[in-house]
Amino acid sequence: MHTQVAIIGAGPAGLFLSHLLKEKGIESVILEGRSRDYVEGRVRAGVLEAGTIDTMERLGLAERMHREGMVDNGLDIRFNGRTIHFDLPAMTGRSVMIYGQQEVVKDLIAARVNANDPLIFEAPVNRIEGIEGDKVTVHYEHAGTAKTLTCDYVAGCDGFHGVGRASMPKDVLKTFQHVYDFAWFGILARARPLHEMTYSNHDRGFALCSRRSLSVSRLYLQVPADEKIENWSDDRFWSELHTRMYDTGNEIVEGEVFQRDLAQLRAFVAEPMRHGRLFIAGDAAHIVPPTGAKGLNAAVADVRVLAKALGEFYRNGSTAGIDTYSRECVERVWRVVRYSTHMSALLHRFDHTPMDRNLQLADLETLSRSRAAQTAIAEQYVALNSVKD
Ligand code: APR
Ligand code: PHB
């Protein structure tokens, strides 16, 4: 098989890239290692920045998002029993959308499959050849047979553990990492959510109240990285959440817990994001702690820049965009990682000395008193990954 652009991975990065390339008349084939059910069943975050919302709309893929998603105009941060409220439209002119990442993935896969555009599931890629040559050959397995796909360019949208970044020459690739010694214990519960997306800093640890709909809450607690969540009863989760959210009444509604997961926190950056005919995007190139809700939005921004660059090349042969893809994305990615690590430092309990703890609380106190500081956070929450299409 031959195509113009081979895309490895049917996560948000690969799927958005395929639709953005099609919009420019560029052919692509997506090779996804797992099954459709697996990819659509993966529960991840759910905050869409303004740029991601605009991209869904421009691609004509926003109908269900507008029907089932929730426009979010506010954000709250709690500490010491107090609340800092961020009025997003007043501070930034825009809002965010609460719409689960797996719902986004389902919509993009459905559109791709309904259009009969090539998306091959259970087709793990095991080798990429020729990225420094004139043509790339992608080696993958499908239906128990070894197969190849040749292409002009290959996009490694295959996540942190994928073959894309691993195919970058070792003497070319630089990586930067920070692994936190705590994790997020997340649940989905059939319970009316809090009105606002609410992050909380508490002596006992971080907590977050988010949602998926008016009847489904998405809730998180900071726990040690090696925590055994099976040892937690639902009652223990709820009582800890009430405490960390300074909820002395029954502000937080409890309900049936139907999903539990544990997410490790790390910050990771790989540079460059392009070598020869190989590009990497999304989690293949960078990982952010979820405190900033930036993972999905950063992946979408990467492939908007990549689609624009490839559009230029196939339109007039110019490689200007291709040559600046890495620099343009890496610059934004470091700002995204900075915002996400800053929010993590502001809101989590670390192995603080009393001095550190009081300095953290002083940061929150300053934030509560400074409209300018609040607006700086609101701007990044709503549109940090803004790129020019
Ligand atoms: N061959 C084919 N597919 C592969 C391979 C391989 N060798 N390795 C990984 N994949 C697939 C995975 O099965 C997965 O479906 O690549 C896809 C990568 O998708 P994601 O991990 O969702 O990464 P990305 O598209 O970059 O999206 C980033 O996902 O993890 C969240 O917080 C993160 O929101 C961010 C978003
Ligand atoms: C979520 O809704 O799952 C969510 C929200 C905000 C975050 C992370 C996750 O920072």
Side-chain angles (χ1 to χ4, degrees):
M1 248 198 320
H2 179 81
T3 187
Q4 290 177 300
V5 182
I7 300 173
I8 309 176
L15 291 164
F16 271 103
L17 179 60
S18 70
H19 286 286
L20 288 163
L21 290 177
K22 181 170 183 180
E23 185 194 37
K24 298 174 189 309
I26 301 170
E27 278 175 23
S28 64
V29 170
I30 305 178
L31 299 172
E32 166 53 52
R34 310 300 293 265
S35 69
R36 183 172 180 172
D37 288 350
Y38 178 88
V39 170
E40 292 184 347
R42 248 184 336 225
V43 174
R44 294 259 180 82
V47 179
L48 309 188
E49 278 186 32
T52 304
I53 299 168
D54 297 346
T55 303
M56 293 273 284
E57 284 166 353
R58 207 185 77 229
L59 291 170
L61 301 172
E63 193 269 327
R64 193 164 76 95
M65 176 185 72
H66 285 305
R67 189 159 31 90
E68 298 177 12
M70 308 162 78
V71 173
D72 205 5
N73 294 322
L75 171 69
D76 282 357
I77 289 181
R78 295 185 181 178
F79 75 106
N80 279 352
R82 294 160 51 206
T83 299
I84 307 170
H85 178 66
F86 298 73
D87 179 336
L88 302 174
M91 290 173 171
T92 69
R94 296 289 311 253
S95 307
V96 297
M97 176 75 78
I98 307 296
Y99 188 56
Q101 175 170 319
Q102 75 202 98
E103 306 311 327
V104 173
V105 164
K106 283 180 194 161
D107 295 343
L108 273 62
I109 288 176
R112 179 91 183 165
V113 170
N114 295 347
N116 282 322
D117 292 322
L119 167 42
I120 310 173
F121 287 102
E122 296 170 81
V125 171
N126 42 48
R127 194 156 56 84
I128 303 172
E129 215 181 6
I131 59 174
E132 294 174 344
D134 299 335
K135 192 173 62 177
V136 180
T137 303
V138 176
H139 298 263
Y140 66 101
E141 291 285 321
H142 189 242
T145 316
K147 298 193 173 166
T148 60
L149 168 67
T150 57
C151 53
D152 304 331
Y153 292 102
V154 56
C157 300
D158 47 359
F160 185 75
H161 302 286
V163 67
R165 189 179 70 251
S167 302
M168 285 268 194
K170 299 290 169 279
D171 60 346
V172 167
L173 189 71
K174 284 199 307 272
T175 61
F176 310 80
Q177 178 160 252
H178 174 73
V179 178
Y180 292 83
D181 61 4
F182 50 75
W184 278 16
F185 175 7
I187 69 166
L188 282 170
R190 296 188 212 292
R192 181 172 50 73
L194 282 188
H195 178 60
E196 298 292 1
M197 172 82 69
T198 306
Y199 293 102
S200 187
N201 172 301
H202 188 279
D203 272 341
R204 296 175 61 82
F206 166 86
L208 165 60
C209 288
S210 177
R211 56 204 184 284
R212 289 293 174 271
S213 71
L214 292 176
S215 58
V216 173
S217 292
R218 177 64 168 151
L219 306 162
Y220 299 94
L221 290 175
Q222 172 188 356
V223 294
D226 58 359
E227 186 75 0
K228 295 274 172 290
I229 58 174
E230 55 275 20
N231 300 345
W232 281 65
S233 67
D234 291 349
D235 288 351
R236 181 181 170 199
F237 185 99
W238 290 114
S239 97
E240 192 63 30
L241 186 68
H242 287 290
T243 303
R244 295 189 191 182
M245 297 300 286
Y246 306 94
D247 174 13
T248 48
N250 278 320
E251 181 196 15
I252 293 171
V253 176
E254 301 182 11
E256 178 216 347
V257 176
F258 63 94
Q259 155 93 28
R260 291 157 149 254
D261 47 68
L262 188 71
Q264 302 302 327
L265 270 68
R266 82 167 87 213
F268 172 84
V269 177
E271 300 178 21
M273 288 173 63
R274 178 247 175 163
H275 181 72
R277 295 175 175 279
L278 168 65
F279 302 92
I280 54 175
D283 278 16
H286 43 76
I287 302 279
V288 287
T291 329
K294 291 298 173 207
L296 166 67
N297 299 295
V300 176
D302 291 346
V303 296
R304 288 167 65 191
V305 176
L306 181 52
K308 183 181 173 195
L310 290 168
E312 201 180 303
F313 171 75
Y314 283 110
R315 199 172 51 253
N316 60 27
S318 159
T319 63
I322 287 174
D323 296 340
T324 57
Y325 165 74
S326 180
R327 194 176 62 243
E328 185 174 337
C329 288
V330 167
E331 179 282 320
R332 172 181 41 80
V333 165
W334 276 112
R335 287 186 284 117
V336 170
V337 174
R338 187 54 193 130
Y339 169 74
S340 306
T341 53
H342 171 66
M343 291 295 279
S344 301
L346 196 61
L347 296 170
H348 289 81
R349 259 330 239 116
F350 292 79
D351 192 5
H352 282 141
T353 63
M355 177 71 156
D356 296 335
R357 175 59 174 156
N358 282 301
L359 289 174
Q360 184 191 49
L361 291 171
D363 279 340
L364 286 160
E365 188 59 47
T366 301
L367 181 61
S368 73
R369 296 161 182 248
S370 163
R371 171 85 178 187
Q374 291 166 18
T375 302
I377 286 186
E379 286 170 352
Q380 296 178 88
Y381 181 68
V382 169
L384 183 50
N385 284 286
S386 54
V387 298
K388 284 194 282 323
D389 287 301

